[in-house]
Amino acid sequence: MSDKIPEGNRSARERLAQQREREKGREKRRRTLIVASAVVGVLALAAVVGLIAANAGKDDGGDTASGPAVAPSGAIGEDALTLPVGAADAPSTLTIWEDFRCPVCAQFETAFRDTITELADDGQVKVEYHLATIIDGNLGGTGSLRAANAAACAQDAGKFAAYHDVLFANQPPEPDDAYGKNSRLIELAGEVEGLDTPGFRSCVEDGEHDSWVKKSDTAFREGGFQGTPTVLLNGESVFPSKGDEQISPENLKKWVAAANKGKKPGTATPTAPGDGSSAPADPSSAPAS
């Protein structure tokens, strides 16, 4: 007897195997889309609730957002609402909108901080941070505003990136408005070498950048974004997914590499706050939105 499979039976088996592979592929794509849709749905719901309840909560008197919007040193972009990290001439731009009270933002930072730092240090991306305060409107309190103002004060001192990381690493539970207390924000500044100075304390306690933070939050709400974090690579949303691919440290590196193909890494040293070439202190002198 021959050990060969008859031609008719082989074709039938091959067709069956191919059909099973196609079904597995469809099922995998279906599960991926379900997960992505669920994450998007949660973020969209959070954004809608935040917009409906915006500014509905009572504040504790800590909101000093009145008067002209004073941008922190080194802020760039339209109305000086962008806090840059990384080489200015990097071939790609990673834009991140965050709220320091947002738990999903903290999860994002925990998962991607090392990857983003690596990409920025290697000159592959420049990171442009924008601050929002939707949780204050969602749950009441002033922690989002107070923390954002403190982060802007850290930018004045050239310590934004380090303080930004400390704030997310020590983020209180979402309903806890611990960041509404300037004393807590000043206490955490002690974890960043050289930040806890009389100038920083005065900036935090006086709410020097409160109006600027409010202006940034208005830009977020008018930008049509669905929630925080909002993450854009060269203007294209990549959180929680890009096309059919879920975001991950590996995928983010792959997407950046594809965007940068054939381009040289950035080498320009970021402008140091206070060196005379930073954004104007009063962004009213910047181009109007």
Side-chain angles (χ1 to χ4, degrees), residues 170-283:
N170 291 274
Q171 185 187 74
E174 188 177 12
D176 182 354
D177 195 31
Y179 282 174
K181 298 179 180 178
N182 290 330
S183 58
R184 175 57 176 159
L185 298 169
I186 291 171
E187 178 186 4
L188 288 175
E191 297 188 19
V192 178
E193 184 177 359
L195 179 58
D196 187 7
T197 63
F200 174 79
R201 290 187 173 216
S202 176
C203 181
V204 171
E205 291 169 347
D206 293 345
E208 183 171 332
H209 300 298
D210 281 1
S211 292
W212 175 84
V213 173
K214 287 285 189 179
K215 194 168 187 176
S216 179
D217 183 65
T218 297
F220 171 78
R221 295 170 189 271
E222 293 178 349
F225 303 117
Q226 295 299 306
T228 52
T230 287
V231 185
L232 310 172
L233 177 60
N234 297 326
E236 179 183 2
S237 177
V238 295
F239 183 86
S241 61
K242 179 178 182 290
D244 290 339
E245 292 185 287
Q246 292 289 105
I247 192 171
S248 67
E250 295 75 19
N251 279 343
L252 181 57
K253 288 182 179 180
K254 181 182 72 173
W255 299 336
V256 170
N260 291 353
K261 187 175 181 180
K263 302 175 182 177
K264 294 182 179 180
T267 58
T269 302
T271 298
D275 73 351
S277 57
S278 60
D282 184 349

